[in-house]
Amino acid sequence: MRVPQIDKRSENDLIKHIKNISFAYTPEWRFDEDNPDVGTALAYIYAGMFADTLKRFNKVAIKNMLSFFNAADARLLPAIPATGYVKFGLAGQPQEGVPVSHGTQLVADVPDGEVTSLIFETVNAVYVSPAEPVHIFDIDGSGDRIVHSYQPNEENTEPPAFVMFDPLGENLQEHCLYFCHDEALNIKNAAVITVSFSPHHRSRVEENILQSLLNEDIAVWEYLTAEGYSRFAQSERDGQTLRFYKAAGQPAFCRGEEQGVESCWIRCRVLDVSPFSHFYIDQMQLSVAGADIRPELINVAEIDQSLNGCFAFSEKFSVFDALYFASAETLGKKGATIKLSFKLDFIRIKVDLDIADPAINWKSIMRRSDYQPDKEFDITIEEVLWEYFNGKGWARLFPGKQYADAFSTDGGTRGQEVKMTFICPEDIQMSLNGAAESIFIRARILKVNNAYKTKGHYVSPFIEDVVFSYDYGSQAVLPHLLLNRNNLDTVVRGMDSLKDPEVFFPPFEATGQNRKAMYFGFEIPPVGGPIKVLFDMESTLPDRPSTQLWEYFGRGRWNSMNVVDETEDFSRTGIVTFMGAKDFQRCRMWGLELFWIRVVDADNYYGLTGSRVPRPLVRGLHMNATQIIQLETQPDELFFVEPQEAFKTCRLLNPRVHDLEVWVDEASDIDVEQYRQAFGAEHLEVVNDANGEPEAIWVRWQEVDEFSASQPDDRHYTADRNEGIINFGDGINGRIPLSGERETIRVSYRTGGGEAGNLLPGMVARVNRALGFVNSVTNPEITSGGCDQETVSEAVLRSAMALRHGYRGVTTRDYEALAMEASRNILKAKCFANFDEHGRRRSGSVTLAILQKNFEHGRNFFNAIREQVTSYIEERISGNIVDLGRFKVVEPQFLELSVKVELAVVDLNRAFTVQDMVIRRLQDFINPMSGNFNGSGWDIGTIPNRTQLLNCLKDIPYISFIRGIFISATTQGAFGTTEVDLDNVAEYIFAQPLSGTHEVIITIQ
């Protein structure tokens, strides 16, 4: 507070005055400062003494003002203790927790302070539980979204920052139906896959479901290839069946692994689960058809033949020669109808045996038969045997002699077409032929016509255009395995399950939660209590958004939890306290078997508002946390009282008292029951002796500011907390404590407070005594709010302001002064009349923007200060403003200013020096508390402009000229960092500038 001076003259002013008037009084003497004489020395002595007298004279106004405030009983406000939160940790992996009572003392080491350690005490009891959340899920049932907010890893020992009810997080939800078949889906060429469902307790699948399954905006059908899942070329519906076409040019099916099972897979990926809410199936069938499939290889005599055409059994065949066809794709379709066709021609190959003709017995007279040459024969295949390999040996493919004459010449030797049809055996197996492993069938020669003739020709079969086809037809098969993937969980169903008509399931399943909810999963159930969880919020939401419902899973259902929620539904930093029920039950949710607690958006506030409203941003979640305060409980102190001793004074051993209770033993002068009924049991303590008789009856007395209104029987006392002095009345104003043979006054009190208690995270790190398995304690965030005892100048300013506003808020200055009185953790306050809390003009509204101390680190504690200021001022302003909700307290809108300066320097060697000076000057100038040209900082709602920033840099040496200066601004909100248009900065009526990242671009002149 500025007090006007009565006489402002200084010692130099007095010397100048003596020098000026000396000519009039002593013209023969000259006042010479360079060559002083005795007169000059006397003048200096006089001026010094008179200047000291003026200083004392000027203090008369201050002394009178202090005397006035002392007469008005204005006192210095005591120190305020810092508060914060700590969390406890347990050693090892105990199954039970450890209770920690309230008032447990903790120690913070302060290496650079006046004291080496500070004592903090827990405000509430806490049950240190071994339970820790290992997974946190954000579930939006209406939007079918699952966001995994936290999962454990080696780096994260605690849940990192996450947004609750997040509309923008990565959605992990998927609805997929996978099914596989080793043989039926081993497809490389073009094929048609038919899928049909058997709906539970229904004869037909509903029309809308079938239509949805083929709607690519709702469901996508894909098959597994070497490059991943690929869509089918075409799909269509045929009655109750779905058909999918794989084109010849598409990638082949490829074996892959799903849930540890390697096979050929098809999946249906549903994009919109809503049409399938009542779709249940108990069976699924699969049918495949393919045609014009060339064999993988044709082998004769262990030699691979050309697929374009080859001799079926080599040029010169013999009994037991074999022809092998390999086609794993076709011949692996067990139970399917297989068709084999090929073109058959015969080529005559002369028998070329090196056998000499028999000698002719020439005679003079011979018959014609004596010299007739031998007859030539056609060597042909009469019968073949078709076989397949069953794992033990080669077995007949056909029961009789069907197709045994496939290579017979009975049908002619030119242009035959052979077509064979058979059911693929169920026991057909892979076999090795030569260097190739595949599924083979073979034709083995059993009979050859003229097999041993030495004259003639081999009529050798030549085959071309060998193709297979297959078709399951009505013999549809069940998938070998079926997987349901919904809600991050995969259910595996084998063929036995699919065959059982009593087993049914929904292939596509929604979350079952219509509202938004947060799920917290625990490995160990959080039972017992009180269990406390600290939700450290990044920022305070302006309003309490909605009601949150807490539930736990036990006894096979979700049950309500009774919680004490200091966060006010996650709108502020605070502790959630609950008693963990003993009937917690493991439940599989979101693919994990854990113990679950969930928080449901009961009003569906975040579901209805979408992404338009701020979400709670949890900066840290800490189990086993409780609030602490920088106070130390002192041992009780006892005092004697002389009989009828008026104005009794008790001086405590420790000053800086924060809270105290004064008890007086009135055993000889009180009716216990009467007093208990009149004042309550909490104001009475009875101590009995060994015989059960009252030995002492302690009565709690009441503290008052002064005794002027106290009656003779009022149990009142006054206290000077700064000095630790307690005073009692004289029997006229205030009762005199009773005397006795021993001490009759007992004082319980705690001491502490001050800015020394504002500590950085991790500094509160020790427990004053052993607490079982508790092996660690730390403050995860800063402790804040500590203030030293009020100074005289602060008290004078506060008292003077109180005289002006009379503890009633009328003008904007009154509101600002009342805010500074309400909390000493405020740096500045600015009142905006006719503006609401959103910065919009509204007649009759009053909004108070306050900048708290430690705003760089402790902005998450703003809500506590807001409540303190709000409650203090609402009692001192018009009731209409309060009743209509027109008075609001808000935090400034912090704008981080980043400045880019382009300048030239006279000497390039000074470039780094100039750069550092410019950055420091910008940081100092933008500082909200000590910036600006006068060092008084920037008022809330005032932002430095380009001209001001330019002027603050002009006097920096070595700068030739400034080419340009550019300013950008960002603000941190509930949706992250946002760019601010400085041309519309007037919209940010509660703006408070902060220094950002500055850039200096230097050129030489």
Side-chain angles (χ1 to χ4, degrees):
M1 182 177 181
R2 199 175 79 178
V3 179
Q5 293 183 338
I6 299 174
D7 194 327
K8 298 181 180 180
R9 288 179 295 174
S10 66
E11 184 176 351
N12 290 332
D13 295 332
L14 294 173
I15 292 293
K16 291 180 181 179
H17 183 68
I18 293 174
K19 185 177 181 180
N20 292 333
I21 67 174
S22 63
F23 296 101
Y25 289 94
T26 55
E28 69 280 5
W29 178 72
R30 294 290 182 270
F31 187 94
D32 190 350
E33 298 178 10
D34 296 328
N35 298 299
D37 56 6
V38 175
T40 303
L42 289 173
Y44 273 109
I45 293 172
Y46 173 79
M49 295 176 64
F50 193 69
D52 188 56
T53 301
L54 290 179
K55 288 180 181 179
R56 289 184 171 86
F57 183 65
N58 285 329
K59 290 181 179 180
V60 171
I62 298 177
K63 290 182 178 180
N64 290 337
M65 181 174 59
L66 293 178
S67 299
F68 170 77
F69 287 135
N70 285 330
D73 200 22
R75 304 180 185 181
L76 300 180
L77 297 178
I80 299 175
T83 60
Y85 299 95
V86 293
K87 63 175 183 178
F88 295 92
L90 297 175
Q93 296 181 340
Q95 294 300 311
E96 295 184 358
V98 177
V100 176
S101 60
H102 76 279
T104 298
Q105 292 189 343
L106 311 174
V107 182
D109 296 321
V110 188
D112 300 328
E114 296 181 1
V115 294
T116 58
S117 63
L118 292 174
I119 298 296
F120 284 78
E121 292 185 353
T122 57
V123 176
N124 303 108
V126 59
Y127 180 76
V128 183
S129 169
E132 292 281 350
V134 295
H135 288 275
I136 302 174
F137 290 94
D138 186 345
I139 308 301
D140 179 5
S142 59
D144 198 32
R145 293 177 51 82
I146 300 176
V147 177
H148 202 172
S149 302
Y150 166 73
Q151 58 182 337
N153 57 47
E154 294 180 356
E155 297 180 359
N156 290 340
T157 56
E158 289 185 352
F162 61 93
V163 179
M164 302 188 73
F165 313 110
D166 185 7
L168 304 176
E170 180 185 1
N171 185 14
L172 301 181
Q173 175 67 295
E174 60 177 344
H175 304 285
C176 289
L177 176 66
Y178 293 79
F179 55 91
C180 69
H181 201 289
D182 292 341
E183 298 87 17
L185 297 180
N186 181 17
I187 303 171
K188 295 180 174 57
N189 298 277
V192 179
I193 299 100
T194 303
V195 177
S196 61
F197 298 99
S198 174
H200 181 62
H201 288 168
R202 293 175 182 266
S203 59
R204 298 171 59 87
V205 180
E206 295 179 7
E207 291 292 320
N208 67 309
I209 292 177
L210 291 172
Q211 293 174 2
S212 298
L213 287 172
L214 290 183
N215 186 339
E216 292 190 353
D217 293 331
I218 297 177
V220 177
W221 289 83
E222 301 165 312
Y223 68 96
L224 182 61
T225 70
E227 291 78 27
Y229 280 93
S230 178
R231 295 194 180 193
F232 289 100
Q234 183 183 349
S235 61
E236 66 180 13
R237 175 186 165 195
D238 183 11
Q240 286 285 294
T241 63
L242 306 178
R243 288 182 179 173
F244 303 96
Y245 293 85
K246 177 195 173 301
Q250 287 189 286
F253 275 71
C254 179
R255 292 178 66 86
E257 188 174 297
E258 293 287 351
Q259 292 296 113
V261 178
E262 184 176 331
S263 186
C264 300
W265 293 91
I266 292 178
R267 75 178 180 186
C268 176
R269 183 162 49 89
V270 168
L271 307 179
D272 180 5
V273 74
S274 58
F276 309 104
S277 58
H278 302 291
F279 182 38
Y280 288 82
I281 62 174
D282 54 28
Q283 196 178 88
M284 174 183 177
Q285 292 184 325
L286 176 67
S287 180
V288 186
D292 299 329
I293 300 170
R294 302 184 72 183
E296 297 169 9
L297 62 88
I298 300 174
N299 186 281
V300 177
E302 297 186 355
I303 298 175
D304 294 343
Q305 306 296 315
S306 171
L307 299 181
N308 294 324
C310 65
F311 284 99
F313 300 97
S314 71
E315 296 179 3
K316 298 177 181 180
F317 50 82
S318 62
V319 177
F320 302 128
D321 284 352
L323 166 65
Y324 290 84
F325 295 107
S327 178
E329 177 180 358
T330 304
L331 299 175
K333 304 296 188 290
K334 299 176 181 179
T337 299
I338 310 296
K339 293 182 179 181
L340 170 63
S341 66
F342 52 86
K343 291 181 179 179
L344 178 63
D345 284 318
F346 292 89
I347 300 176
R348 297 175 66 85
I349 307 295
K350 183 176 179 62
V351 176
D352 186 13
L353 295 177
D354 189 16
I355 300 176
D357 292 335
I360 300 175
N361 184 15
W362 293 98
K363 300 176 182 180
S364 56
I365 298 174
M366 299 179 64
R367 291 175 296 188
R368 186 180 297 272
S369 61
D370 290 336
Y371 56 84
Q372 186 175 359
D374 291 342
K375 182 180 178 181
E376 293 186 354
F377 297 90
D378 285 341
I379 303 173
T380 60
I381 298 173
E382 179 180 350
E383 183 181 344
V384 296
L385 175 64
W386 291 92
E387 298 174 306
Y388 71 94
F389 187 74
N390 62 7
K392 299 178 181 179
W394 289 91
R396 285 178 175 269
L397 185 59
F398 305 103
K401 290 188 176 184
Q402 191 177 7
Y403 305 114
D405 58 351
F407 298 98
S408 172
T409 58
D410 293 345
T413 60
R414 301 292 296 176
Q416 294 188 37
E417 184 173 4
V418 178
K419 294 182 178 180
M420 303 170 52
T421 301
F422 59 92
I423 303 299
C424 186
E426 294 288 346
D427 58 347
I428 195 169
Q429 299 290 331
M430 301 278 287
S431 63
L432 182 65
N433 185 29
E437 184 178 17
S438 184
I439 302 179
F440 293 87
I441 60 172
R442 73 180 183 184
R444 190 159 53 94
I445 301 175
L446 293 184
K447 292 182 182 181
V448 176
N449 295 319
N450 302 317
Y452 302 105
K453 299 299 182 179
T454 60
K455 292 291 185 179
H457 295 80
Y458 286 96
V459 184
S460 299
F462 189 88
I463 57 175
E464 295 177 295
D465 297 337
V466 181
V467 292
F468 284 95
S469 65
Y470 61 89
D471 189 352
Y472 280 94
S474 61
Q475 302 298 318
V477 296
L478 296 176
H480 285 165
L481 206 67
L482 188 145
L483 307 179
N484 281 93
R485 187 166 294 169
N486 296 285
N487 306 322
L488 303 185
D489 199 7
T490 301
V491 180
V492 181
R493 293 179 171 87
M495 294 185 68
D496 292 340
S497 175
L498 295 175
K499 291 178 181 178
D500 188 350
E502 298 301 322
V503 177
F504 61 95
F505 59 93
F508 311 111
E509 189 175 10
T511 63
Q513 174 65 262
N514 295 326
R515 295 167 294 180
K516 286 181 172 288
M518 300 295 301
Y519 285 74
F520 301 85
F522 297 80
E523 284 285 1
I524 300 174
V527 299
I531 293 176
K532 295 179 178 291
V533 186
L534 170 63
F535 285 85
D536 182 10
M537 313 306 291
E538 176 66 27
S539 58
T540 299
L541 299 183
D543 297 304
R544 186 168 182 165
S546 65
T547 302
Q548 308 300 331
L549 177 64
W550 287 76
E551 297 176 322
Y552 73 96
F553 192 85
R555 304 192 305 276
R557 66 176 187 271
W558 288 100
N559 306 276
S560 297
M561 294 177 62
N562 293 323
V563 301
V564 178
D565 184 8
E566 295 177 3
T567 70
E568 295 184 359
D569 297 318
F570 310 114
S571 62
R572 50 169 288 186
T573 294
I575 287 179
V576 174
T577 305
F578 63 90
M579 299 295 293
K582 296 183 179 180
D583 57 352
F584 264 94
Q585 182 180 356
R586 278 189 180 273
C587 174
R588 186 170 185 83
M589 302 199 71
W590 326 123
L592 298 169
E593 193 86 21
L594 297 171
F595 298 95
W596 294 98
I597 290 176
R598 73 180 181 184
V599 184
V600 181
D601 180 15
D603 300 330
N604 202 23
Y605 172 77
Y606 295 108
L608 296 175
T609 55
S611 59
R612 301 188 302 273
V613 298
R615 258 57 176 182
L617 175 56
V618 182
R619 182 168 58 182
L621 188 152
H622 309 286
M623 288 290 295
N624 305 320
T626 189
Q627 191 175 16
I628 57 172
I629 188 169
Q630 195 263 300
L631 293 176
E632 181 178 2
T633 299
Q634 301 294 340
D636 289 353
E637 295 185 23
L638 300 173
F639 298 90
F640 280 102
V641 179
E642 297 294 336
Q644 294 300 314
E645 182 181 358
F647 303 113
K648 171 65 179 179
T649 298
C650 301
R651 182 176 292 274
L652 301 175
L653 296 177
N654 301 282
R656 297 173 58 201
V657 176
H658 179 265
D659 53 47
L660 77 161
E661 294 179 358
V662 175
W663 300 78
V664 177
D665 184 4
E666 300 183 13
S668 60
D669 191 33
I670 191 173
D671 185 321
V672 174
E673 291 301 325
Q674 183 179 355
Y675 186 88
R676 183 180 287 118
Q677 293 177 4
F679 299 98
E682 66 274 9
H683 292 277
L684 195 67
E685 288 185 9
V686 179
V687 180
N688 295 324
D689 58 17
N691 298 321
E693 297 295 329
E695 183 179 37
I697 300 176
W698 295 99
V699 178
R700 182 176 175 179
W701 284 35
Q702 180 183 358
E703 181 181 357
V704 294
D705 293 333
E706 56 184 24
F707 291 113
S708 59
S710 298
Q711 299 299 315
D713 289 332
D714 288 341
R715 295 177 171 86
H716 291 170
Y717 67 91
T718 62
D720 183 345
R721 294 172 181 261
N722 294 326
E723 300 297 329
I725 298 174
I726 300 171
N727 295 307
F728 293 90
D730 58 355
I732 299 174
N733 297 107
R735 188 171 183 169
I736 297 176
L738 294 177
S739 61
E741 298 179 356
R742 54 187 180 184
E743 299 93 337
T744 56
I745 297 176
R746 188 188 77 199
V747 181
S748 303
Y749 67 103
R750 292 191 298 176
T751 60
E755 294 186 359
N758 299 328
L759 303 178
L760 295 175
M763 295 187 69
V764 182
R766 290 190 289 126
V767 184
N768 230 4
R769 60 183 178 87
L771 293 174
F773 288 100
V774 174
N775 71 330
S776 67
V777 61
T778 185
N779 58 311
E781 300 296 333
I782 65 168
T783 59
S784 66
C787 296
D788 291 333
Q789 177 182 306
E790 189 179 35
T791 64
V792 173
S793 59
E794 291 172 341
V796 168
L797 178 61
R798 173 177 56 83
S799 300
M801 295 297 292
L803 287 176
R804 185 178 63 80
H805 59 62
Y807 296 100
R808 295 295 300 174
V810 179
T811 68
T812 56
R813 290 184 62 190
D814 295 342
Y815 279 84
E816 293 166 0
L818 289 171
M820 301 300 291
E821 290 179 15
S823 173
R824 288 160 57 199
N825 280 295
I826 297 176
L827 293 174
K828 62 176 65 176
K830 180 71 173 179
C831 183
F832 297 85
N834 297 318
F835 284 92
D836 64 12
E837 67 272 23
H838 303 291
R840 298 176 299 217
R841 284 196 174 275
R842 186 181 182 189
S843 297
S845 293
V846 178
T847 300
L848 187 65
I850 58 177
L851 180 67
Q852 69 173 40
K853 290 183 180 178
N854 249 338
F855 64 90
E856 303 96 335
H857 306 289
R859 285 156 65 178
N860 54 325
F861 296 103
F862 171 78
N863 197 70
I865 298 176
R866 176 173 62 182
E867 290 178 353
Q868 188 176 358
V869 172
T870 301
S871 61
Y872 184 83
I873 295 180
E874 284 183 345
E875 296 176 356
R876 295 165 173 82
I877 60 178
S878 170
N880 290 333
I881 297 178
V882 177
D883 295 338
L884 294 174
R886 298 292 180 88
F887 173 64
K888 298 293 182 181
V889 178
V890 299
E891 189 178 17
Q893 180 73 50
F894 294 99
L895 299 186
E896 190 173 282
L897 303 182
S898 297
V899 182
K900 179 180 178 181
V901 182
E902 296 180 358
L903 53 83
V905 296
V906 296
D907 183 0
L908 198 58
N909 292 325
R910 303 288 187 177
F912 295 121
T913 302
V914 170
Q915 184 180 36
D916 293 341
M917 293 176 67
V918 168
I919 292 177
R920 285 199 302 270
R921 180 67 63 84
L922 289 172
Q923 291 173 341
D924 294 341
F925 187 75
I926 300 175
N927 188 288
M929 295 306 301
S930 59
N932 213 332
F933 294 104
N934 55 8
S936 61
W938 299 92
D939 288 338
I940 298 173
T942 304
I943 299 294
N945 56 39
R946 181 179 178 276
T947 302
Q948 291 171 317
L949 292 171
L950 185 64
N951 291 334
C952 86
L953 302 176
K954 282 187 174 179
D955 61 341
I956 295 179
Y958 312 120
I959 294 180
S960 175
F961 61 89
I962 297 176
R963 298 180 184 273
I965 185 167
F966 309 93
I967 311 172
S968 62
T970 59
T971 184
Q972 190 74 26
F975 300 108
T977 302
T978 306
E979 291 283 344
V980 175
D981 185 2
L982 290 177
D983 293 334
N984 298 324
V985 72
E987 297 178 1
Y988 296 86
I989 188 172
F990 308 128
Q992 178 69 69
L994 298 178
S995 179
T997 302
H998 309 301
E999 180 182 4
V1000 181
I1001 300 176
I1002 297 178
T1003 60
I1004 190 169
Q1005 185 177 5

